[in-house]
């Protein structure tokens, strides 16, 4: 059988049924197969004439099977080949946990763990022989954010919706997320796409993220507009304001929303014109140094009538973070919070190299920022949030034990509203209506029903978190420390997290030389500290 067999057979069958049509006249049994085989014959001719795909010229007609199989490969892998624990990027078990909790179904598992508890890297929580008997209510798991300079501090849940913009998510997805936030009393980060009308329908708490494009508070040429900022920030629904320096999926990389994808609603929300590409630059223009950034934060805190203001970053060069920290020490100006975004995060599309190899992972970034804030005597007044593949209550426990005060989740809440991890977010072809602006596709997502699921996922996750804390004899995530989490190292020896985490004494960066403040294993950070300049990036 040659590689042209299917094409040759199609031509032969076209001739056969063509002769039958002439001899016996038109009938259903003749016309239908004639049309099918003639169409296949034409496809074969086109395959031979085109020059774009060599495989189609060598394998006319049947070569298309390769492209079709490649197209459905992710679905075949997800549904038939991957194991329950294979995390690409989230395992079937992780997704099932969210689906069950969001639907208010039992999340219990029978017959023991499927985890290999003796593998390198396995983690567990050390529980107490005298568990707490005081029931922890989900609404008790909150953290107060806002220094003495804030007249409107905010009590935030330890588990919230991470930054996802209207534009990257559909209107119905935004409606569902905000409805869940309202029902559960937790916060939704708007993402850098600004505050849309869909964020306001259910009056759920909002964290307004301002990126380098200044959407919602920009001039016509893309610079920061203070008057527009004051107008938006005065909305009582906005509880905190977050300056996005960088994000986990593509730190140091700007973004473009093509003109073809900008709807009138998106244009109005972002304050950009129709018919023009919407550009997010790779850096801010409202400030050019760490000192200027802190001054900017102080200004917009005042202009927002004392709402907490902070920034989000995925750590790159340590000296860039140290420059910000030095600026805090020198100017006595501080943000109210810092959100640490890890390189493992990201709901939107980004270049492959940026997704896989740019930026510091969340746990490393979190510990670096937590430890050095402690070394600068600033940890008590600056709260830290963390985002990056946080799905379960144990994920929250792990991150809080490293140094976070609260956690954000993006993809977890996407699963709660129906995301099936099809990984088509950048194509506008989302099969569940979550990440698309296609009107027909997003109608499949019922924001009322999915809003309830967001609420249930949050509540059930915090209920599980409460049970974990009680088992450890604790009453709040703030009581966690790295000694509570055990991890099997590369030699299969169980060690507490504290064994391999960076440590720094309180005030060490103020009272000691960098070489003494940073222990022997971290002398490269001491050199980075000396290089850091608060007057420039």
């Amino acid at each position: 059988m040659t590689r042209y067999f299917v094409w040759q057979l199609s031509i032969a069958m076209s001739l056969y049924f063509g002769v039958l049509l002439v001899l016996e006249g038109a009938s259903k049994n003749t016309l239908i197969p004639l049309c099918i085989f003639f169409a296949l014959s034409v496809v074969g001719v086109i395959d031979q004439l085109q020059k774009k795909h060599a495989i189609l010229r060598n394998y006319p007609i049947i070569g298309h099977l390769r492209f079709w199989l490649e197209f459905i490969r992710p679905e075949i892998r997800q549904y038939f080949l991957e194991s329950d624990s294979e995390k690409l990027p989230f395992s079937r078990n992780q997704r099932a946990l969210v689906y069950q909790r969001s639907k208010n179904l039992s999340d219990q598992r029978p017959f023991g763990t499927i985890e290999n508890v003796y593998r390198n890297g396995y983690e567990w929580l050390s529980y107490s022989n005298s568990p707490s008997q005081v029931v922890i209510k989900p609404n008790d798991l909150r953290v107060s954010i806002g220094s003495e300079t804030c007249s409107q501090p905010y009590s935030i849940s330890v588990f919230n919706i991470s930054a996802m913009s209207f534009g990257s998510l559909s209107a119905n997805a935004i409606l569902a997320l905000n409805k869940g936030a309202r029902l559960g009393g937790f916060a939704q980060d708007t993402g850098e796409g600004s505050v849309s009308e869909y964020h306001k329908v259910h009056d759920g708490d909002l964290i307004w993220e301002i990126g380098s494009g200044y959407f919602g508070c920009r001039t016509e040429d893309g610079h920061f507009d203070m008057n527009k900022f004051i107008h938006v920030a005065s909305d009582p629904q906005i509880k905190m304001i977050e300056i996005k320096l960088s994000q986990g999926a593509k730190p140091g990389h700007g973004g473009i929303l093509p003109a073809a994808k900008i709807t009138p609603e998106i244009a109005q929300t972002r304050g950009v014109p129709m018919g023009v590409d919407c550009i997010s630059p790779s850096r801010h223009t409202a400030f050019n140094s760490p000192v200027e950034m802190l001054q900017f934060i102080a200004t917009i805190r005042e202009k927002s009538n004392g709402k907490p203001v902070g920034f989000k970053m995925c750590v790159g060069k340590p000296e860039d973070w140290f420059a910000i920290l030095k600026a805090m020490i020198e100017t006595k100006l501080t943000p109210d919070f810092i959100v640490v975004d890890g390189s493992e995060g990201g709901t939107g599309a980004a270049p492959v190299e940026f997704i896989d190899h740019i930026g510091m992972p969340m746990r490393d970034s979190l510990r670096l920022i937590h430890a050095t804030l402690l070394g600068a005597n600033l940890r008590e007044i600056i709260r830290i949030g963390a985002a990056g593949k946080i799905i379960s209550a144990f994920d929250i426990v792990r991150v809080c034990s490293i140094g976070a005060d609260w956690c954000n989740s993006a993809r977890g809440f996407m699963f709660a509203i129906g995301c099936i991890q099809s990984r088509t977010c950048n194509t506008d072809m989302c099969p569940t209506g979550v990440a698309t602006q296609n009107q027909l596709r997003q109608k499949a997502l019922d924001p009322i029903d999915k809003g309830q699921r967001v609420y249930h996922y949050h509540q059930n996750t915090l209920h599980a978190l409460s049970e974990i804390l009680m088992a450890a004899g604790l009453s709040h995530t703030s009581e966690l420390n790295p000694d509570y989490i055990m991890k099997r190292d590369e030699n299969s020896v169980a060690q507490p997290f504290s064994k391999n985490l960076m440590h720094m004494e309180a005030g060490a960066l103020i009272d000691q030389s960098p070489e003494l403040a940073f222990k022997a294993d971290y002398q490269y950070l001491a050199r980075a500290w000396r290089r850091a300049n608060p007057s420039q990036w």
Side-chain angles (χ1 to χ4, degrees):
M1 183 184 297
T2 71
R3 62 178 185 269
Y4 299 110
F5 175 76
V6 173
W7 184 31
Q8 293 167 342
L9 178 64
S10 298
I11 295 173
M13 296 303 291
S14 296
L15 294 173
Y16 171 73
F17 284 106
V19 171
L20 285 182
L21 181 66
V22 172
L23 296 177
E24 299 180 1
S27 70
K28 180 173 66 175
N29 293 335
T30 303
L31 279 174
I32 292 177
L34 174 61
C35 291
I36 293 173
F37 286 112
F38 180 76
L40 289 174
S41 301
V42 172
V43 169
V45 172
I46 294 173
D47 289 343
Q48 283 290 290
L49 294 177
Q50 62 84 36
K51 299 180 179 180
K52 187 176 181 180
H53 299 290
I55 195 169
L56 296 182
R57 299 189 78 181
N58 279 329
Y59 299 88
I61 302 177
I62 59 175
H64 289 278
L65 183 63
R66 181 259 183 189
F67 295 101
W68 182 75
L69 289 173
E70 187 179 62
F71 179 75
I72 65 171
R73 178 183 178 275
E75 287 76 15
I76 292 175
R77 177 177 179 81
Q78 178 175 342
Y79 293 119
F80 300 109
L81 301 179
E82 74 175 26
S83 70
D84 288 343
S85 58
E86 192 174 1
K87 299 180 180 180
L88 294 171
F90 290 91
S91 71
R92 179 64 195 173
N93 279 338
Q94 289 176 307
R95 301 195 303 273
L97 179 67
V98 179
Y99 297 149
Q100 289 164 335
R101 287 181 173 168
S102 65
K103 296 175 184 177
N104 231 7
L105 301 175
S106 173
D107 58 6
Q108 296 184 9
R109 298 283 191 273
F111 221 64
T113 182
I114 63 172
E115 291 274 1
N116 177 5
V117 298
Y118 298 104
R119 65 173 170 82
N120 297 345
Y122 178 73
E123 300 166 347
W124 67 92
L125 175 76
S126 300
Y127 78 99
S128 172
N129 276 338
S130 55
S132 173
Q133 299 300 304
V134 179
V135 176
I136 305 172
K137 298 178 181 179
N139 204 43
D140 293 336
L141 294 171
R142 307 188 75 85
V143 176
S144 180
I145 301 178
S147 63
E148 59 185 17
T149 57
C150 283
S151 57
Q152 299 186 61
Y154 178 56
S155 177
I156 194 171
S157 171
V158 298
F159 190 43
N160 303 278
I161 302 170
S162 196
M164 294 181 285
S165 301
F166 170 56
S168 60
L169 296 190
S170 68
N172 282 4
I174 296 295
L175 285 169
L177 291 170
N178 197 253
K179 177 179 176 61
R182 173 66 176 177
L183 292 172
F186 55 103
Q188 176 188 12
D189 193 313
T190 65
E192 70 171 311
S194 192
V195 183
S196 72
E197 61 179 286
Y198 302 105
H199 287 98
K200 299 181 179 182
V201 171
H202 298 294
D203 200 35
D205 290 353
L206 295 176
I207 300 170
W208 181 21
E209 181 179 274
I210 300 175
S212 57
Y214 306 115
F215 302 126
C217 56
R218 61 186 265 139
T219 60
E220 290 186 0
D221 59 356
H223 289 82
F224 180 75
D225 187 315
M226 182 61 78
N227 291 328
K228 290 181 179 179
F229 167 81
I230 293 172
H231 174 72
V232 177
S234 64
D235 189 333
Q237 193 179 345
I238 296 174
K239 304 301 182 182
M240 303 201 304
I241 297 158
E242 176 183 289
I243 310 300
K244 190 190 85 169
L245 295 184
S246 58
Q247 66 183 78
K250 45 186 176 182
H253 189 284
I256 297 178
L257 184 63
K261 291 187 176 182
I262 300 176
T263 66
E265 288 177 320
I266 294 174
Q268 181 180 0
T269 298
R270 298 193 175 201
V272 298
M274 291 288 294
V276 179
D277 291 342
C278 179
I279 299 175
S280 298
S282 59
R283 60 181 296 172
H284 283 262
T285 56
F287 48 84
N288 295 301
S289 70
V291 169
E292 290 183 11
M293 182 190 75
L294 295 177
Q295 293 169 341
F296 180 72
I297 287 175
T299 300
I300 65 174
R301 183 192 290 124
E302 177 187 353
K303 297 297 184 180
S304 64
N305 294 319
K307 293 183 179 180
V309 181
F311 62 87
K312 178 176 81 173
M313 69 181 300
C314 173
V315 176
K317 295 188 295 183
E319 52 262 45
D320 286 348
W321 156 243
F322 291 158
I324 297 174
L325 189 54
K326 280 185 174 181
M328 294 182 202
I329 296 171
E330 292 182 8
T331 64
K332 309 299 181 185
L333 298 174
T334 57
D336 298 293
F337 64 90
I338 299 171
V339 174
V340 181
D341 204 13
S343 60
E344 67 269 44
T347 54
V352 172
E353 291 85 356
F354 277 79
I355 287 179
D356 291 341
H357 301 293
I358 306 295
M360 190 180 293
M362 182 265 289
R363 298 187 206 176
D364 303 275
S365 303
L366 173 60
R367 191 61 185 183
L368 174 66
I369 290 176
H370 167 79
T372 49
L373 281 175
L374 186 65
N377 281 334
L378 294 173
R379 185 63 182 89
E380 291 299 318
I381 62 174
I382 299 176
R383 298 285 181 243
I384 300 178
K389 298 191 75 171
I390 296 171
I391 291 287
S392 70
F394 183 75
D395 294 334
I396 299 174
V397 167
R398 181 202 293 117
V399 170
C400 288
S401 72
I402 295 173
D405 293 300
W406 87 90
C407 300
N408 295 333
S409 176
R411 287 169 287 185
F413 284 100
M414 287 179 70
F415 292 143
I417 59 176
C419 171
I420 59 172
Q421 196 172 276
S422 65
R423 304 181 75 182
T424 56
C425 308
N426 60 320
T427 65
D428 209 34
M429 300 289 285
C430 174
T432 58
V434 175
T436 178
Q437 296 305 308
N438 182 290
Q439 293 295 322
L440 290 176
R441 286 179 176 269
Q442 66 174 292
K443 280 184 179 179
L445 193 160
D446 179 1
I448 303 302
D449 172 64
K450 295 302 190 289
Q452 290 288 337
R453 294 193 183 190
V454 170
Y455 165 69
H456 290 315
Y457 169 53
H458 179 266
Q459 290 292 294
N460 289 327
T461 300
L462 287 193
H463 175 72
L465 175 61
S466 300
E467 292 189 322
I468 292 174
L469 292 173
M470 291 170 64
L474 307 175
S475 60
H476 195 276
T477 51
S478 60
E479 299 171 16
L480 288 163
N481 63 61
D483 287 329
Y484 279 96
I485 306 293
M486 301 294 292
K487 182 175 183 178
R488 202 175 297 283
D489 65 16
E490 64 276 7
N491 298 315
S492 295
V493 177
Q495 303 276 6
F497 258 26
S498 57
K499 176 74 175 179
N500 296 309
L501 285 178
M502 175 183 174
H503 292 273
M504 184 167 286
E505 298 176 5
L509 288 172
I510 306 295
D511 304 328
Q512 301 176 8
S513 69
E515 288 73 21
L516 290 176
F518 294 99
K519 307 303 180 186
D521 292 339
Y522 298 97
Q523 286 305 295
Y524 73 96
L525 292 178
R527 294 189 291 273
W529 178 266
R530 290 195 178 279
R531 290 194 300 269
N533 185 347
S535 298
Q536 66 180 40
W537 293 110

